[in-house]
Amino acid sequence: MTLLRRTLLQTGAALAAGLALPAPARAASPVYRRGNDADPETLDPHKTSTVAEAHILRDLFEGLLTYDNRGTIIPGMAERWTVSDDRLTYRFHLRPDGRWSNGDAVTAEDFLFSLRRILDPKTAAKYAEVLFPIRGAAAVNAGEQPPETLAVAAPEALMLEIGLAEPVPYLLELLTHQTSLPVHRPSLERWGDAFARPGNLVSNGPYALVDWVPNDRITLTKNPHYRDAAAIPIERVDVIPTPDLAAAVRRYAGREIDSLSDLPADQIASLTQRFGTQVQLGPGLGLLAIAFNLRKEPFDDVRVRRALSIAIDREFLADIVWGQTMAPAYSFCPPGLDNALPPPLLPGREDGPIDREEEALRLLAEAGYGPGNPLAIEYRFNVTDNNRNTAIALADAWRGIGVETRFVSTDAKTHFAYLRDGGTFDLARMSWVADYSDPQNFLFLLRTGNDGFNAGRWSNPAFDGLLTRAAGERDVQARARMLFDAEKIVLDELPWLPLLHYRSKALVSPRLHGMHPNIRNVAPTRYLRLDP
């Protein structure tokens, strides 16, 4: 008997018996295959530090506030809040329907516990300083006070109060950040450091973690307990690390990936010709720079640092190497930040290439380097096509002033972990995308003791003092002037050499809807829709 005949006979028998046939299987929701810059080092929100990790955490967790797909700050776990007249106390009222992915209620105690945890020095959080505007945070993080002294309280199950040491104009934006995300205390207490692994991680965002195959994909599925779960179109996300951008484009062209969060800059023109409006370029809020190891000669000599900076043609890097997807950086902070003056600029930016070369050679000669004693340097960077091409262009520029360059390249996770852990180096690629639109979020990177980012261990008391004074200044204009003066010190001493300011660049499939270029470069999956 054929399969078709057997099926017809079974159907007829069921109808004759008055039985209901099972409903036809519903078509499976399409899987969103999301290209991401790199594989995360961890999914513990309090121990992450990269943009690639932030993209994933934005789907897994939700803070008191969050972003929509246009980069606008919107309510998250907090449905409303009030601010005291002196701007020092914020009271957040949490949603009564907030749930963890295991069904537990999300309460103010969860946020209280999490804020204490990230600031506890035992956690060794890389990003703890972001939360220092909270009263008592710096002392707790330094181990000078217990976490219970932090100015955060949960007077009611769904009410959280946060006290500030001084008014800050960007607190609400801070509370969208991964440092402010809650973690599920029972899971952490049960699993310890393994709480963020598949099978253990309990999250409170639109999606839950299902699987993680390193260097292949991270699989997320819709959190059925999330308050808007029924309205979220995409059921499953495969987050695919794409450090090899050329290979990622080939996978995109083969319809193996639905969107890419970065593109090979030297292919932008050809990609635009090939894919048209699928190439999306937008504003950005980030810095690409080179850190000098101030603990090592001759990089502790500002003349050497200035010579290497002067020799670089930033317009060439931006226009040719990066295909106009980056802007030349003559300041440390990008222009256009909130609460800021126009930033100070590097001297000599308008000089011609001959004048720049002569000045660089003069500085090197003063420092003791020349044809008879050439300077040899090692440049470390994390591997992508864009970073490799940038390294080659830098070496070529420095060759013009008699500097010999060799490369050390690793994956992103290894690169940043090496620098963060105090590994020795000469020059190293650094990058930063702002967590909030304020000069402080760039300048804090170089504060004394911020070893997680200040890889070269630069220390300047005048710079530190200006940041401290700015933190306590209530007058926005006076504060902006202090931060301007702090940035001028950075440009004078060049512990970091600013190269380029970021723009966002992406490839987005025509079947993916809801992704809009924005200055935050955020596109939470919950707001996206994927055609079959």
Side-chain angles (χ1 to χ4, degrees), residues 243-328:
D244 185 336
L245 297 180
V249 169
R250 290 193 294 271
R251 295 186 66 181
Y252 175 87
R255 300 186 179 181
E256 297 178 24
I257 296 178
D258 298 304
S259 67
L260 294 177
S261 58
D262 197 4
L263 301 176
D266 60 346
Q267 297 182 30
I268 292 297
S270 62
L271 290 174
T272 301
Q273 184 177 15
R274 183 179 178 188
F275 295 109
T277 57
Q278 296 174 51
V279 176
Q280 294 188 359
L281 302 179
L285 206 57
L287 170 70
L288 173 59
I290 297 173
F292 291 100
N293 187 352
L294 278 295
R295 298 167 293 176
K296 187 175 181 180
E297 294 181 352
F299 309 108
D300 57 346
D301 189 331
V302 69
R303 294 171 298 186
V304 172
R305 302 196 296 272
R306 287 176 183 165
L308 293 173
S309 175
I310 290 169
I312 298 169
D313 186 339
R314 290 168 172 82
E315 279 78 11
F316 177 80
L317 289 178
D319 295 344
I320 306 303
V321 177
W322 287 83
Q324 299 184 336
T325 62
M326 300 279 260

Side-chain angles (χ1 to χ4, degrees), residues 201-525:
L201 184 64
V202 176
S203 59
N204 73 320
Y207 290 87
L209 177 65
V210 174
D211 194 18
W212 182 358
V213 181
N215 301 312
D216 181 57
R217 71 190 60 231
I218 292 174
T219 299
L220 315 178
T221 58
K222 189 161 62 172
N223 173 9
H225 298 285
Y226 186 70
R227 63 179 181 276
D228 291 333
I232 295 175
I234 295 177
E235 297 278 347
R236 172 179 155 181
V237 188
D238 283 352
V239 183
I240 301 169
T242 57
D244 185 336
L245 297 180
V249 169
R250 290 193 294 271
R251 295 186 66 181
Y252 175 87
R255 300 186 179 181
E256 297 178 24
I257 296 178
D258 298 304
S259 67
L260 294 177
S261 58
D262 197 4
L263 301 176
D266 60 346
Q267 297 182 30
I268 292 297
S270 62
L271 290 174
T272 301
Q273 184 177 15
R274 183 179 178 188
F275 295 109
T277 57
Q278 296 174 51
V279 176
Q280 294 188 359
L281 302 179
L285 206 57
L287 170 70
L288 173 59
I290 297 173
F292 291 100
N293 187 352
L294 278 295
R295 298 167 293 176
K296 187 175 181 180
E297 294 181 352
F299 309 108
D300 57 346
D301 189 331
V302 69
R303 294 171 298 186
V304 172
R305 302 196 296 272
R306 287 176 183 165
L308 293 173
S309 175
I310 290 169
I312 298 169
D313 186 339
R314 290 168 172 82
E315 279 78 11
F316 177 80
L317 289 178
D319 295 344
I320 306 303
V321 177
W322 287 83
Q324 299 184 336
T325 62
M326 300 279 260
Y330 291 103
S331 59
F332 189 78
C333 298
L337 296 177
D338 296 339
N339 317 308
L341 300 175
L345 301 175
L346 286 168
R349 63 192 178 280
E350 297 178 353
D351 294 341
I354 295 177
D355 291 336
R356 291 203 307 269
E357 181 177 316
E358 289 178 351
E359 175 65 6
L361 289 169
R362 183 188 69 79
L363 289 167
L364 285 178
E366 284 186 5
Y369 295 96
N373 183 32
L375 175 63
I377 63 176
E378 177 185 277
Y379 177 58
R380 301 184 68 97
F381 63 95
N382 55 300
V383 181
T384 68
D385 292 342
N386 293 345
N387 292 346
R388 184 182 297 108
N389 292 337
T390 299
I392 293 170
L394 291 172
D396 185 61
W398 291 331
R399 189 180 302 112
I401 57 171
V403 176
E404 302 170 359
T405 307
R406 70 183 186 92
F407 303 142
V408 175
S409 59
T410 61
D411 63 274
K413 182 164 59 176
T414 301
H415 174 75
F416 291 110
Y418 178 85
L419 297 175
R420 187 174 57 248
D421 295 340
T424 187
F425 68 98
D426 294 351
L427 286 72
R429 178 192 179 275
M430 302 296 291
S431 60
W432 180 251
V433 176
D435 304 304
Y436 46 91
S437 181
D438 190 277
Q440 188 273 344
N441 192 228
F442 288 90
L443 297 172
F444 91 101
L445 297 168
L446 291 172
R447 193 163 195 160
T448 301
N450 190 11
D451 296 346
F453 298 104
N454 188 1
R457 304 300 192 265
W458 179 64
S459 179
N460 184 292
F463 173 83
D464 293 342
L466 284 165
L467 292 193
T468 298
R469 289 170 52 203
E473 179 57 59
R474 294 170 184 256
D475 184 287
V476 175
Q477 286 299 313
R479 176 181 179 273
R481 169 55 63 179
M482 293 173 189
L483 295 178
F484 177 95
D485 292 341
E487 182 173 358
K488 192 173 185 305
I489 292 174
V490 173
L491 296 184
D492 288 341
E493 294 206 7
L494 287 178
W496 280 21
L497 185 163
L499 282 181
L500 300 164
H501 287 138
Y502 275 71
R503 295 186 69 194
S504 65
K505 46 193 180 295
L507 262 177
V508 180
S509 169
R511 63 195 290 259
L512 182 65
H513 307 279
M515 190 172 282
H516 304 286
N518 59 80
I519 200 165
R520 300 295 174 202
N521 195 24
V522 296
T525 305

